[in-house]
Structures are given as C-alpha cells and as structure tokens.
Amino acid sequence: MTLTLPFPNFLDTFATNLLTAEPLEENPRHRAIVDAFDEVKGLERRLLVELAIAMEDSTVAAEQLTACSDLLIERLVAGQKLSALLAEACCCAAEEAEYEPCRPCGLETGEACCQDSAVPAQLPLTLLDACIHVFSDLDDPHAMASADLVDALRDLPGIAGKYYRYSDLTQSRLAELLAPYGLRTRDITLPDGRRRKSYTREALLAATGVCTSC
C-alpha cells in the first residue's frame, strides 16, 4: 500500500516558510491541473482494486464488472478534463509584472500581454470557456438567459462535463456542472424585456480567475 500525501503538505509549507521571504500565492489554474491529476490516479487505483476483486471471486464478478464499467467511464471523463487543462494555452509572459500571468487566450488581459492574435481560434476546451465563447459571439452581453445559453452550447461537439455531451445539455444539467464554480442563475430582466433565470458574463469571467473590477 502506497501512502500519498496531498500537495502541498506540511513539509512543503515548512520549505516555503524557510526558503522564501513571503508566502507564495497559488495559481488556481495550476491547482486545477494538480487536482485533476489526483482524480485520475485515484480512479485508476479504484479500478484496479475492483478488477482484482472480480478476478478473485467469481460469485461477485458480474457486480464488480458493472462497477468497473462505471469507474472506467469516470476515468475517461477525468482524463479528458486533465488533457484539456494540460493543453490550455497560456498567452501571458510571467515577466510582465503589470499583467497577471497564465490567463487563457481570447480574454482581455492587457495590450502588451497576449501574443500574436492572428493564431486561428480553437474550440473551447472547458465548459467555462465554452460559455464565455458564446457570450463573445453575441458581443458580450451583460447577461444571458439559461435557456438561450443552453441552446447555443448544444451546437458544440464533445463532452461538457461528467457524462453530459454538449448536445445533451439541459438547463438543470448546465446548473449542475456550473455549481462547483460557484455559479448560480439570477432573475434578470434582459434587454428584450424578458425576465429570466440568467448567467452573467462577469460571474463567468470571475470563475476563470479574471479580475472583472480592474
């Protein structure tokens, strides 16, 4: 049995206090990569345990294989999430002190921050990026009704999150996937006069780590 301590743990905290003059501020996007990697490895360990039980005890093989199938799906989804995070482009140079480093391309980060804007646009890599992409296509409205956002997201290929493909999204499924980011709908009167449960562009950007008050 292998004991794995979370990172950072007390040893890393001690090293930071010993070797640096002031505490280091964690980058939320880097933390997301570490958490996604831990999730992938944890699911792989669980999958191996379930397979070992199924091979040793034939009386529970059918139940274990069902459990293995569910775990395998979770592992594939978690791996896709990790791959998307690892492939996410960072367009900001760390030496540009006046701009926060490592924000995703396509968001407003300052005039001197982004590299060549002529690079062809790619499909959004995460659900948050996809939502922001929809807002951008509609000239960045302040808010968008949940139903309208879902209709636009359904045109995208791939998996939105968990087991849900973009084409299978509903308002309740979108709310479920965005809830871990602290995103909730609000009753907002839209420019066309409709009062709908809506998401705001400011809240979506804040969830990605972009400062909306700068």
Side-chain angles (χ1 to χ4, degrees), residues 22-98:
E22 56 186 38
L24 301 176
E25 184 176 352
E26 187 176 277
N27 186 306
R29 286 189 171 273
H30 296 170
R31 167 53 58 185
I33 293 175
V34 174
D35 290 343
F37 178 77
D38 286 343
E39 181 182 6
V40 166
K41 302 310 291 184
L43 288 169
E44 287 180 349
R45 286 193 293 269
R46 289 172 55 193
L47 183 58
L48 290 174
V49 170
E50 296 291 346
L51 285 172
I53 294 175
M55 293 174 65
E56 291 179 1
D57 189 349
S58 59
T59 61
V60 296
E63 295 180 3
Q64 294 304 128
L65 287 176
T66 299
C68 288
S69 297
D70 293 339
L71 280 173
L72 180 58
I73 293 174
E74 288 188 56
R75 165 60 183 83
L76 292 175
V77 173
Q80 190 273 340
K81 177 183 176 182
L82 176 59
S83 297
L85 287 169
L86 290 172
E88 200 166 60
C90 290
C91 66
C92 300
E95 62 269 20
E96 295 288 341
E98 64 270 31

Side-chain angles (χ1 to χ4, degrees), residues 12-212:
D12 304 301
T13 302
F14 173 76
T16 297
N17 293 335
L18 181 66
L19 300 175
T20 63
E22 56 186 38
L24 301 176
E25 184 176 352
E26 187 176 277
N27 186 306
R29 286 189 171 273
H30 296 170
R31 167 53 58 185
I33 293 175
V34 174
D35 290 343
F37 178 77
D38 286 343
E39 181 182 6
V40 166
K41 302 310 291 184
L43 288 169
E44 287 180 349
R45 286 193 293 269
R46 289 172 55 193
L47 183 58
L48 290 174
V49 170
E50 296 291 346
L51 285 172
I53 294 175
M55 293 174 65
E56 291 179 1
D57 189 349
S58 59
T59 61
V60 296
E63 295 180 3
Q64 294 304 128
L65 287 176
T66 299
C68 288
S69 297
D70 293 339
L71 280 173
L72 180 58
I73 293 174
E74 288 188 56
R75 165 60 183 83
L76 292 175
V77 173
Q80 190 273 340
K81 177 183 176 182
L82 176 59
S83 297
L85 287 169
L86 290 172
E88 200 166 60
C90 290
C91 66
C92 300
E95 62 269 20
E96 295 288 341
E98 64 270 31
Y99 302 108
E100 182 179 71
C102 212
R103 287 180 179 168
C105 292
L107 301 180
E108 296 175 1
T109 51
E111 292 180 0
C113 182
C114 292
Q115 296 174 356
D116 188 359
S117 59
V119 177
Q122 297 180 345
L123 289 174
L125 296 174
T126 68
L127 178 59
L128 282 178
D129 291 333
C131 291
I132 293 171
H133 179 76
V134 170
F135 271 73
S136 177
D137 281 349
L138 298 175
D139 296 327
D140 292 326
H142 165 66
M144 184 179 299
S146 173
D148 297 339
L149 182 56
V150 167
D151 285 343
L153 290 171
R154 282 177 180 165
D155 293 332
L156 295 176
I159 296 175
K162 293 190 175 179
Y163 313 129
Y164 305 136
R165 300 182 64 83
Y166 281 105
S167 57
D168 297 327
L169 277 182
T170 63
Q171 293 185 60
S172 61
R173 287 175 177 177
L174 179 62
E176 177 187 348
L177 294 175
L178 293 180
Y181 299 100
L183 293 167
R184 302 287 188 277
T185 55
R186 294 165 43 197
D187 290 324
I188 296 177
T189 301
L190 303 173
D192 59 8
R194 295 178 300 156
R195 187 165 181 80
R196 295 288 187 269
K197 297 287 186 183
S198 305
Y199 293 97
T200 65
R201 177 176 178 270
E202 181 179 5
L204 287 167
L205 290 175
T208 67
V210 175
C211 178
T212 59

